[in-house]
Amino acid sequence: MRVDGIRPRLREFCSRRAPGLADEDDIFAVGGMNSLFAIELLTFVEEAFSIRLDDEDLQREHFSSINAMAALVERKLVAQG
């Protein structure tokens, strides 16, 4: 997957719960997000980008915004080669 396609896919998924969410917005602060959404988000990220999230990846700061998630996905993709 090309890294320039990461943000649009994340934005599309997150906008279902928070329309108009900007890439730098804290997705948990804008409302509409809960623990069920967090699980759905983790599953989406792993499946959409064919990556495996490890325990050390499961930190709030990695999922606090579209920008943070995109950075995590990019790191995981680079590590996979």
Side-chain angles (χ1 to χ4, degrees):
M1 156 157 287
R2 293 177 43 142
V3 294
D4 59 351
I6 294 171
R7 277 183 183 75
R9 291 186 74 186
L10 291 167
R11 196 177 303 117
E12 178 184 345
F13 182 83
C14 292
S15 69
R16 295 176 193 161
R17 292 282 182 107
L21 183 71
D23 289 357
E24 65 278 355
D25 290 345
D26 184 330
I27 65 171
F28 296 102
V30 299
M33 309 301 180
N34 56 30
S35 57
L36 178 59
F37 175 77
I39 299 300
E40 292 171 353
L41 180 59
L42 294 174
T43 302
F44 168 77
V45 168
E46 286 189 322
E47 291 176 359
F49 303 107
S50 300
I51 61 173
R52 176 163 161 64
L53 296 171
D54 301 314
D55 289 343
E56 63 268 8
D57 299 322
L58 304 179
Q59 299 177 32
R60 187 183 189 285
E61 64 263 16
H62 292 154
F63 294 90
S64 62
S65 69
I66 292 170
N67 285 338
M69 288 184 278
L72 173 64
V73 171
E74 288 172 13
R75 283 193 305 274
K76 299 297 280 187
L77 289 173
V78 167
Q80 285 180 355

